[in-house]
Structures are given as structure tokens and as C-alpha cells.
Amino acid sequence: MSLLQVKALRRDYGSLRAVDDVSFELEAGTILGFIGPNGAGKSTTMRIIATLDTPTAGEVLLDGQSLVDSPDKARPLIGYMPDRYGTYDDVTVWEFLDFFARAYGLKGAARHKRVASVMEFTGLNPLKDKLTSALSKGMKQRVALGRTLLHDPKLLILDEPADGLDPRARIELRELLRALADQGKAVLISSHILTELAEICDTCAIIEQGRLLATGKVADLLAQSQASGGTELTVRLAAGADGEAASARAEKLLLEQPRVGQVAREAEALRVRLELEPGATREQVDEAAARLLAALVGAGVPVCAFSHRELNLEDAFMTVTKGRVA
Amino acid sequence: METGARAPLSERLGDRINPLVVKEIRQGLRTRLFWVCFGLMLMACVMLSLTAYADVRDSGNQPRGQVYFFTYFVCLGLVHFFIIPYSAYRSLAREREDETWVLLALTGLGPRRILRGKVTSFLAQAALYASAVGPFLLFSYYLNGIDLPTILTVLMLGAAWLVFLTVLGVCAATLADGRLGRAFVHFLVLGLLAGAVVVGLTSAFGISEGGSRLMREREFPYVIAVVLWLMLSYGWLLFEAAAARLALITEDYSRGPRRALVAQMLLSAVGVAVLWWRQGQEREVAAVAGIAGCLHLTVTGLFLISDVDGMARALRAKTRGWSLLRPGAVRGFRLMVLLIGGWALFCCALHLLSDDTQHNWRSMLYATVAAAAYPLLYFSVALLVAKMPRSERMTSPAAVRVLFIALAGLASVLPPLLAVLMDEEADNGLINLLNPIVGLVNFATHENQISAPKMTAGMLYFLCGVAALAAFAADRILVERERRVHAS
């Protein structure tokens, strides 16, 4: 059974429907990326799962228990990190974590041990006595992550954790999250940096206007996107050849080939869009591309480069969403 | 087998203290504000002591205690009545601005424990300041001119004022969510605290000046008791209201403030009964208590009835028809009706048991009943106007409050104007029957020429009937709205 089950979740604010019939599941030890434009309903959904809000309708089960009916029982299982880090001035890193450990009810030696282990995991030991106000964004972010781990939650909810971080801090965060998932924690993470999510997440959920548009493994989403949006090839002709004439000849030849939908001439290359059947596999795409290359070379077109552009999560996102806001 | 060494006592004690207290004191003692204020206050006290020493020597040991006690108290009062409450306000306001409040709420500490930690930590800081000024206040006693009971009375009232203002500061921090609202509240708090410093210091001056003369007054202990009771009970109410505002929507946020209000009214009833008995069963006590109590319930009731409709699913299962402390406008409205009705009945009972020698007893009784009927009527009408239409436009708590004020305001202004247009007297009894201000004054008026109340019993029955009908209709509307909200 999945650790987190979100079933037909709905949240209305007066006449505005912020979240509409959202359902997804999250297994222990996996990372789910929550993607959507601003105002799509990501934060509302996350706040409901974090028990900070209550749904108008629907159900959220955490470890088989309804967190809508028993939020007090669910809270110890949840670690929530909002999009603002939430640190205090005039408090050292150790005091900050010690305070939250006390707030979570940890006492005496158990508290000291837990704080020490979290500091070691997040690499904060060298900064133990430094004031949190003097930390860099990346380090504050680590302190905030450390805070969410103090009570050893099963589910981590991270709202835009990579926002404003430099590349090194992002890579370090990615490694920390991977390590947490390997420890068996389920991680629900939202971010605007989609390339980042593609590298971290096992599964993704795309939300727009409060509705879940697509959900599944990242590879599956990319395949779906490829199938619906087509595949793009780039053909570069050798320099020095009779430029314009060669391009025109290649364009004409390409348009005569089966499954070629569109050919666009650019400065030094031709962009070719292949139209394949829905659900086409990677092998079928490769086979169609190989046939095109053979036809071009066979016709004496001076091809010097022939590439197949890999789709990423951004393409999938753009294919699925329409840029509407709830 | 050895189970491990026992933690040191300090560690075990530390574990028992509210985490907020530990954090706030750590933070507070690192701030520049604390050390600057502490240093300045100590320096001022030392300078004053040197001046006092020279002054007493020059004046040939004239009693100067009263003057120097007050000057030391000014040093402490500026910190206790302004710096501490303002710091408490800023501390919680920053938690809300930086959204660290949400993180605290999720730890399971609960809003009441968090607020208690905040208030306690600032009171602990206040104790540090007081410990520095304490020896100087004692020194003023040895300068003669002020007695120990006066010093203790001023310090006790000052401490109560400090606690009340700290709670007020914390409560004010929960008031606004938007940036503009926060800025408004900030200036409001600064203004209120400036006023509080003036009130606190003026009162301290008055008491220290009056000294032993005031102490001999028969009413003085009553006045002190009433002032302390007002500070304590309103402080508690404000604290609970602040905790409710900070509670998560999934929590039983209304229980604290509603319980505090019920307890406040019950204890006040006991106090009023005792006072009425000790004052020789005077009818005025019942009349004043009746009108003042209903006025208080009108202000607090405005917040009670304007709760949102329905409640979180987690709370519904254990809610019964009589669970009036649970969230929801319908339960808030019913509790308010019960409290106002109960208070009016209690005061009427005191009226009926009072000494009957006064000729205006009926108008006093009518005024007590009318003081309960008017708020009931206008609460109900405001709820009907806000919640009867299917549109959600006017159902927000703020809209209901504005509607109540607008309706009661119109009802106070329009009837006298109408009376003037009709060539009648502006305070005409019949035209102003539903006027909450002129009507109340009319009910309390006794016509000496005819030796009877200005308003008749029939008019009072009519007013009560209209109020009861409106309350019944409002209750039905609220029940229907809650049913709709829970069904969606």
C-alpha cells in the first residue's frame, strides 16, 4: 500500500476552486515532483497534506490513516518545509535545531543525540555555533531541512526547496534528498526548475488550474509527451556546399518521405518534425530517423550532422499544460 | 542492570520548561535593545539615588520618599509598560511575517502553549529589569514619606498592568494578515502603548500621592479588586482570542475564548452578587451590572456570532447540539443568546430581590431587559442580512461585523430624524422603540410628573418579541448554512 494516498481532493475558497479532483499516490522511498504554474494549486494541495488546511471534499490517507479526520495523529509523520526557510535571528544553528527538537517533545540525551545526528546528516556541524542570520541561502536551506528531519517523519513535503539556490547548493540538496529517499522516506517536492526535478524525482504530477493533468514516472511522461507532440530532428548540411540550393533540395526530399510532418529551414540547418502513431516506442522513432538519413545520403545531400533532440520535463510540461491559472 | 546515568538536574528542569521560553530568553538577551534599556535604566536609577542622597542631606532629612519612589517607578514603567509589551508584539508579529508560526504550529505545541511561552519569556525579561530597580524602590522607602502598603499596591497594580499589556501586545500581533493591515496595527499598538504608559504612570502617581489617605478609604479595596479583575479577565479573554486566531483550521479553536467568556460572566455574576449584598441590596448595582454586562457581551458577542459557518471534518464527529464551545457561527450565536439572556435574567432576579423603596425601580428593570434585547435584535438582523442570500459576498466574519455596526448605527440615527420630520420630539418613545441608544435611554427614563416609566411594559414586550423572532430566524438560517457547508 502507498504511504500517501490523495483521493479526489477538492478545495474551494468561496466561488474559487483552487484544487479540483486531485488524486495521486506516493510510495515510501520515492520522490514525487509536483509541477505546475503559479496559482495552479500546488501549495494548497501541499498545505492540505501538511494538515495546515482542510479540504472541501476528498480524502488524504497517510499510512492508511485519514489525515483529514485525525490531523493530530498524522502530524508526527510529516515534515513540512514551506517556500520560506523560517529561521530566527540571534539564534545559533545548534540552538535553532535544539529549540525545534524541544518543541517536538524530545528530551534530554535523546534530544542531544537527534540534533547531533541531523547536523551530521545535513553537514551543519562546522556551523554549529554560527548565528542563523549570518548563513548563506544554501546553508539556511540546510538548517530548514534539518528542522524537518528532527522528529524523523515518514513523509517530507518540500515547497520550492531549490528556489534561489546556487548550482552547488542545488546539487548538494539533490544528493541529500536522494539519501533521504534511500532511507525509506517519501518526498513530495514542488519546484519551478523542471530540469532539476527530472533529475531528482522518480515520479511527477503536473497540475494546472487545480486539476491534475498528468501523473506517473518521469520516463513515461516524456514518452507520452513525445507521442503527442512528435519528435524533432536536426539536419545540418556541410558548409561550402551550394548552400541555398542544397537546403531546398533536402527540404523537398524530406517532405516526400513518409511520417514527415513539417520541415523548417533555419540558417544552417533543417528542423524536421516526425509524426508518429500515439504510443510509438523509442525503436520506432529511431527506425524512422534512420530511414530519413539513408534517403538524404542516398540522394547525395551533403549531410554533416544528423541529431535527434531529446525531450525533457520542460517539454512534457509545456505539452500538457496550457498556461492557465485558476 | 544499569540503565544509564541520570541527566543533571538543570537538564531535567530545562526539559520541563516551555521551549519558547528557552528560545525567547536566549534571543532576548542577545538583542541590543535589552542591554541598552537595561544599562540606561540602571544608570538613571544610580543618578537619581545620588541626587536623592544630596537632596535629603540639603533639606535636613525632609521626607522625600514619595517623589523618589515615583521617579524610580517611571524608569521601570517606561520599560514595563512600553518596551516589554512592544517587544512581545514584535516577536509574535515577526513569527507571522516570516511564517515561522506555521512551523511551530506543526510541532504539536499548540497555539496556547506557544503564546504562554511568549508571554512568560517576556515577563521573565521584565523580572530581570525589575530586579535591577527593586533595590532602588526599597531605598525610596527609607527616604520616608511613603509607606509600605502604598509601595506594594503600586507594584501589584503595575505588575498586573504589565501582564495585561504584554497579553494585549501578543493579541494585537494576531490581528492583521495583509501588509497594510499590519502597518495599521503597528501604529495602533504604538499609540495604545504610549497611552498605556501615561495611564500607568498617572495612576501610580495618584496612588503614591494619595498614599495612606487612600488606604483608609472604605471603597479603595473594592476599586483595586475591580481593576485587578478587569485586567485579569480581559487579559485571559485576549489571550484566548489570540490563541484562537493562531489555531489551525483543523483545531477546536473556539473552545478557549468561549470558555473564557463563559467563566468571565459566571465569576462576574458571583462578584456582582457579593457586591450587591454588601452594598445593602441596592437596585443600582443590579441596573449598572445589567447594562454594563450587556454592553460587554455586545462587543464580545460580535466576534462570537461572526465565526465562519461549519467546522473542519475532524471536529464534526464529536459535536452535539449542545456543544456550544465548538467552532461555527450557529453555536457562537446560540452561546451569545444564552449569555445575554442569562445575564439579563440574573440582573432582573437581583432587581426583584432588591429593596423596593426606590420609586424608579421599574424603569431600571426595563432598561436591564432592553439592554439585552437590543443587541440580540441587531445581531440577528445582521446575520439575516448577511447569510440569507445564497451569495457568499457578505458572509465573511468582517462583513458580518461591519453589517452589525452599520445596521445599529442607522437604527440609532434614522428614527430621531424621522421624529423631527413628523413634528414629534426627537426621543419619541414609539418612533424610537427599535433605536438601540435612544430606546435604551427611554426605557431607563422615569417620568417624575406621572411617577411612572416613560416606556410602557407593552413596548418592552414588543421589543422582546421582535428580538426573539429575529433570533429564531437567524438561528434557522445559520443551521441551514452549516448543513450546506457540511454537505459540500
Side-chain angles (χ1 to χ4, degrees), chain A residues 188-203:
Chain A
L188 177 61
I189 176 173
S190 78
S191 180
H192 287 307
I193 306 157
L194 302 183
T195 46
E196 195 71 32
L197 278 185
E199 288 171 37
I200 303 174
C201 300
D202 303 300
T203 53

Side-chain angles (χ1 to χ4, degrees), chain A residues 85 136-139 141-142 161-174 193 196:
Chain A
Y85 302 137
S136 67
K137 238 180 179 183
M139 286 301 131
Q141 216 266 353
R142 275 177 187 235
D163 201 23
L165 295 188
D166 61 43
R168 173 176 285 276
R170 266 187 214 158
I171 291 165
E172 287 169 352
L173 173 73
R174 203 163 67 199
I193 306 157
E196 195 71 32

Side-chain angles (χ1 to χ4, degrees), chain B residues 22-272:
Chain B
V22 179
K23 187 212 98 178
E24 291 291 339
I25 291 179
R26 271 176 185 160
Q27 262 184 302
L29 296 185
R30 277 204 189 106
T31 58
R32 204 177 299 160
L33 179 76
F34 177 82
W35 291 110
V36 168
C37 287
F38 197 84
L40 284 176
M41 193 185 70
L42 210 58
M43 205 163 70
C45 287
V46 171
M47 303 279 275
L48 279 169
S49 302
L50 293 174
T51 314
Y53 176 70
D55 186 21
V56 170
R57 253 183 46 164
D58 292 351
S59 65
N61 289 330
Q62 286 279 317
R64 289 275 195 260
Q66 189 263 317
V67 177
Y68 286 102
F69 171 76
F70 180 67
T71 50
Y72 292 131
F73 192 79
V74 169
C75 298
L76 186 64
L78 288 175
V79 173
H80 273 192
F81 305 152
F82 193 89
I83 305 288
I84 294 285
Y86 180 72
S87 303
Y89 160 76
R90 276 307 302 152
S91 171
L92 189 60
R94 278 198 68 177
E95 296 266 12
R96 297 191 77 214
E97 286 160 18
D98 297 345
E99 288 173 29
T100 45
W101 173 257
V102 171
L103 310 178
L104 287 179
L106 288 175
T107 59
L109 273 178
R112 298 177 79 243
R113 227 178 132 204
I114 294 168
L115 285 183
R116 217 182 298 145
K118 285 264 175 209
V119 172
T120 310
S121 63
F122 282 97
L123 293 182
Q125 288 181 42
L128 281 177
Y129 285 109
S131 67
V133 182
F136 297 99
L137 291 169
L138 193 67
F139 170 65
S140 69
Y141 171 68
Y142 290 104
L143 296 175
N144 296 322
I146 189 160
D147 55 5
L148 212 52
T150 307
I151 292 179
L152 291 177
T153 306
V154 173
L155 292 181
M156 182 180 66
L157 286 174
W161 193 228
L162 160 75
V163 175
F164 176 75
L165 291 176
T166 308
V167 172
L168 183 78
V170 163
C171 186
T174 67
L175 283 181
D177 294 315
R179 194 173 286 183
L180 203 66
R182 280 180 192 148
F184 175 74
V185 170
H186 194 160
F187 286 114
L188 188 73
V189 167
L190 284 173
L192 275 176
L193 290 179
V197 171
V198 174
V199 169
L201 295 182
T202 312
S203 307
F205 181 77
I207 296 171
S208 58
E209 183 84 350
S212 50
R213 183 179 48 81
L214 272 178
M215 293 293 159
R216 283 195 296 274
E217 293 283 342
R218 186 172 160 264
E219 277 82 20
F220 191 64
Y222 291 116
V223 174
I224 297 285
V226 169
V227 169
L228 282 175
W229 168 242
L230 287 176
M231 283 195 269
L232 179 76
S233 66
Y234 276 98
W236 182 22
L237 210 55
L238 285 175
F239 177 86
E240 293 292 356
R245 281 196 58 84
L246 291 175
L248 298 175
I249 195 167
T250 51
E251 289 171 326
D252 187 1
Y253 59 86
S254 61
R255 187 179 166 78
R258 290 185 191 183
R259 193 177 50 183
L261 182 62
V262 171
Q264 188 193 38
M265 294 316 291
L266 287 175
L267 290 170
S268 296
V270 172
V272 167

Side-chain angles (χ1 to χ4, degrees), chain B residues 222-461:
Chain B
Y222 291 116
V223 174
I224 297 285
V226 169
V227 169
L228 282 175
W229 168 242
L230 287 176
M231 283 195 269
L232 179 76
S233 66
Y234 276 98
W236 182 22
L237 210 55
L238 285 175
F239 177 86
E240 293 292 356
R245 281 196 58 84
L246 291 175
L248 298 175
I249 195 167
T250 51
E251 289 171 326
D252 187 1
Y253 59 86
S254 61
R255 187 179 166 78
R258 290 185 191 183
R259 193 177 50 183
L261 182 62
V262 171
Q264 188 193 38
M265 294 316 291
L266 287 175
L267 290 170
S268 296
V270 172
V272 167
V274 170
L275 190 70
W276 171 79
W277 184 261
R278 290 191 66 111
Q279 294 289 323
Q281 299 167 13
E282 271 184 20
R283 191 175 291 279
E284 274 89 353
V285 174
V288 171
I291 293 171
C294 287
L295 195 66
H296 163 68
L297 284 172
T298 306
V299 177
T300 47
L302 193 53
F303 294 90
L304 223 65
I305 62 148
S306 55
D307 197 358
V308 291
D309 294 305
M311 62 170 87
R313 212 171 79 192
L315 303 169
R316 288 178 207 166
K318 288 176 188 164
T319 303
R320 302 283 173 270
W322 59 85
S323 312
L324 299 184
L325 303 185
R326 294 221 153 203
V330 62
R331 280 164 294 279
F333 178 70
R334 283 176 180 171
L335 180 65
M336 193 277 303
V337 172
L338 259 179
L339 284 175
I340 289 194
W343 186 257
L345 273 177
F346 164 73
C347 292
C348 286
L350 289 187
H351 267 290
L352 297 173
L353 294 171
S354 293
D355 184 14
D356 265 350
T357 53
Q358 282 171 289
H359 63 284
N360 63 343
W361 70 272
R362 268 190 298 168
S363 41
M364 281 200 225
L365 184 65
Y366 290 178
T368 306
V369 177
Y374 283 120
L376 253 180
L377 173 64
Y378 286 98
F379 280 151
S380 307
V381 174
L383 284 171
L384 285 170
V385 173
K387 305 211 171 182
M388 203 145 72
R390 288 192 81 87
S391 155
E392 299 285 321
R393 204 166 290 168
M394 289 196 291
T395 56
S396 72
V400 173
R401 287 171 211 152
V402 170
L403 260 175
F404 170 80
I405 294 165
L407 287 168
L410 280 175
S412 306
V413 172
L414 290 182
L417 284 175
L418 191 68
V420 170
L421 286 174
M422 292 166 73
D423 279 340
E424 296 284 344
E425 283 182 20
D427 64 345
N428 180 286
L430 199 60
I431 296 174
N432 285 290
L433 187 55
L434 299 182
N435 184 330
I437 295 170
V438 180
L440 185 61
V441 173
N442 282 345
F443 275 112
T445 306
H446 181 81
E447 299 276 23
N448 284 323
Q449 294 101 332
I450 54 169
S451 190
K454 182 176 178 179
M455 305 290 271
T456 62
M459 285 171 162
L460 187 65
Y461 294 147

Side-chain angles (χ1 to χ4, degrees), chain A residues 258-279:
Chain A
R259 291 174 173 166
V260 172
Q262 218 180 335
V263 178
R265 259 201 277 175
E266 290 179 2
E268 293 172 352
L270 294 165
R271 291 206 181 276
V272 184
R273 179 165 285 274
L274 287 182
E275 284 178 353
L276 302 163
E277 293 80 25

Side-chain angles (χ1 to χ4, degrees), chain A residues 18 48 54 59 111 120 123 147 165 172 197 223 226 230-231 244 247 254 261-262 269 280 291 305 322:
Chain A
I48 291 171
T54 185
E59 186 61 273
R111 186 180 71 240
E120 192 180 335
R147 180 194 54 73
L165 295 188
E172 287 169 352
L197 278 185
Q226 193 150 302
T231 299
E244 191 58 30
S247 289
L254 285 166
Q262 218 180 335
R291 262 205 300 270
K322 294 177 176 64

Side-chain angles (χ1 to χ4, degrees), chain A:
Chain A
M1 191 178 68
S2 300
L3 179 76
L4 176 73
Q5 292 169 281
V6 178
K7 295 176 179 177
L9 201 68
R10 204 181 88 208
R11 180 64 169 113
D12 295 337
Y13 294 106
S15 57
L16 175 76
R17 184 153 291 179
V19 177
D20 187 8
D21 197 27
V22 165
S23 303
F24 63 87
E25 294 190 357
L26 176 58
E27 307 273 347
T30 58
I31 304 177
L32 186 143
F34 213 38
I35 313 169
N38 288 330
K42 298 189 301 283
S43 291
T44 307
T45 308
M46 287 179 135
R47 283 177 64 83
I48 291 171
I49 298 170
T51 73
L52 290 169
D53 199 357
T54 185
T56 310
E59 186 61 273
V60 184
L61 299 176
L62 181 60
D63 221 4
Q65 199 171 47
S66 167
L67 58 75
V68 183
D69 290 332
S70 317
D72 294 341
K73 287 182 190 161
R75 268 177 209 136
L77 305 178
I78 299 169
Y80 175 61
M81 192 166 101
D83 49 356
R84 294 177 73 171
Y85 302 137
T87 52
Y88 297 110
D89 293 341
D90 301 316
V91 166
T92 66
V93 170
W94 181 84
E95 285 170 349
F96 179 82
L97 293 175
D98 178 70
F99 162 62
F100 272 100
R102 281 171 192 269
Y104 277 115
L106 297 170
K107 291 188 190 302
R111 186 180 71 240
H112 291 301
K113 206 171 151 190
R114 186 66 197 155
V115 171
S117 102
V118 163
M119 286 185 68
E120 192 180 335
F121 177 76
T122 48
L124 289 167
N125 271 331
L127 306 170
K128 190 179 171 190
D129 297 319
K130 208 164 180 183
L131 291 178
T132 54
S133 50
L135 296 179
S136 67
K137 238 180 179 183
M139 286 301 131
K140 274 187 185 169
Q141 216 266 353
R142 275 177 187 235
V143 175
L145 184 64
R147 180 194 54 73
T148 58
L149 298 174
L150 282 169
H151 59 301
D152 197 19
K154 285 185 175 178
L155 170 68
L156 289 174
I157 302 168
L158 313 176
D159 199 354
E160 305 279 354
D163 201 23
L165 295 188
D166 61 43
R168 173 176 285 276
R170 266 187 214 158
I171 291 165
E172 287 169 352
L173 173 73
R174 203 163 67 199
E175 284 165 4
L176 282 175
L177 293 182
R178 203 64 261 173
L180 286 167
D182 292 343
Q183 286 174 13
K185 295 193 191 302
V187 184
L188 177 61
I189 176 173
S190 78
S191 180
H192 287 307
I193 306 157
L194 302 183
T195 46
E196 195 71 32
L197 278 185
E199 288 171 37
I200 303 174
C201 300
D202 303 300
T203 53
C204 266
I206 300 178
I207 186 170
E208 189 180 42
Q209 265 194 324
R211 293 187 74 88
L212 205 62
L213 300 179
T215 179
K217 289 186 175 165
V218 175
D220 291 344
L221 284 178
L222 293 180
Q224 279 174 25
S225 167
Q226 193 150 302
S228 59
T231 299
E232 203 174 88
L233 302 171
T234 304
V235 181
R236 188 183 290 273
L237 303 183
D242 181 11
E244 191 58 30
S247 289
R249 194 151 56 92
E251 185 182 354
K252 188 165 176 264
L253 185 68
L254 285 166
L255 285 169
E256 286 166 1
Q257 301 302 313
R259 291 174 173 166
V260 172
Q262 218 180 335
V263 178
R265 259 201 277 175
E266 290 179 2
E268 293 172 352
L270 294 165
R271 291 206 181 276
V272 184
R273 179 165 285 274
L274 287 182
E275 284 178 353
L276 302 163
E277 293 80 25
T281 61
R282 181 65 191 254
E283 287 75 28
Q284 286 170 315
V285 174
D286 288 348
E287 200 184 306
R291 262 205 300 270
L292 276 188
L293 179 61
L296 287 168
V297 173
V301 176
V303 178
C304 72
F306 189 89
S307 60
H308 177 194
R309 194 168 81 84
E310 291 289 340
L311 290 186
N312 58 29
L313 203 54
E314 275 175 10
D315 297 304
F317 178 74
M318 293 306 286
T319 308
V320 173
T321 62
K322 294 177 176 64
R324 292 171 305 202
V325 177

Side-chain angles (χ1 to χ4, degrees), chain A residues 102 107-109 111-112, chain B residues 7-16:
Chain A
R102 281 171 192 269
K107 291 188 190 302
R111 186 180 71 240
H112 291 301
Chain B
L9 182 68
S10 59
E11 181 81 10
R12 278 180 283 138
L13 281 176
D15 283 343
R16 285 175 172 273

